[in-house]
Amino acid sequence: KLLNVVRFGRDIRLRLIDLDAAAKIVPVGSGEDESYAGAKFSSAVLPPEMFHELKQGEEEALEIYWQGESKELQAKVAPKLHRRSGASFVVS
C-alpha cells in the first residue's frame, strides 16, 4: 500500500514499512520447510511479476483447483477482468 512508504525527515529518503507479506526463501533440500515468495499477498500494490494473464482454458482449471476452499479465499484468488482489454489476470 502506498501508506507503507514513508519519508524519513533525517535524510529525506523513502523507506518501506509494514512488510508482513514478505516470505522467507528456503532452498529446496535444505531440510527446512520450503517457503515461497508471494506466499502471503494483499490486494494493495503488487509488482508486475506477481500477475499472470490467463490463457484459454486456465480459468476453468483454476475454478476446479480452488473449488474445495472457502468462498472468502475463492473470491480473493478469483481472476480479475481488465476492463479495456477483456483479459483475465490472477496473482501468481
Side-chain angles (χ1 to χ4, degrees):
K1 298 176 190 171
L2 294 178
L3 293 175
N4 292 342
V5 179
V6 295
R7 185 178 301 276
F8 275 62
R10 184 173 12 146
D11 57 8
I12 316 299
R13 296 181 79 184
L14 295 175
R15 301 272 192 335
L16 292 176
I17 61 170
D18 194 20
L19 301 173
D20 67 334
K24 178 181 175 186
I25 305 298
V26 178
V28 176
S30 68
E32 295 183 54
D33 289 338
E34 293 180 35
S35 62
Y36 304 93
K40 178 181 174 188
F41 68 91
S42 77
S43 57
V45 179
L46 293 172
E49 61 269 16
M50 293 296 295
F51 293 95
H52 172 74
E53 182 177 354
L54 294 177
K55 295 165 188 61
Q56 188 174 10
E58 288 181 325
E59 193 161 347
E60 294 81 18
L62 281 172
E63 287 177 15
I64 293 168
Y65 181 83
W66 292 107
Q67 71 185 6
E69 299 297 333
S70 71
K71 294 294 181 192
E72 180 183 1
L73 181 57
Q74 286 182 27
K76 188 171 187 174
V77 299
K80 306 299 185 254
L81 187 65
H82 188 273
R83 290 184 193 125
R84 284 184 281 167
S85 70
S88 292
F89 291 86
V90 294
V91 175
S92 57

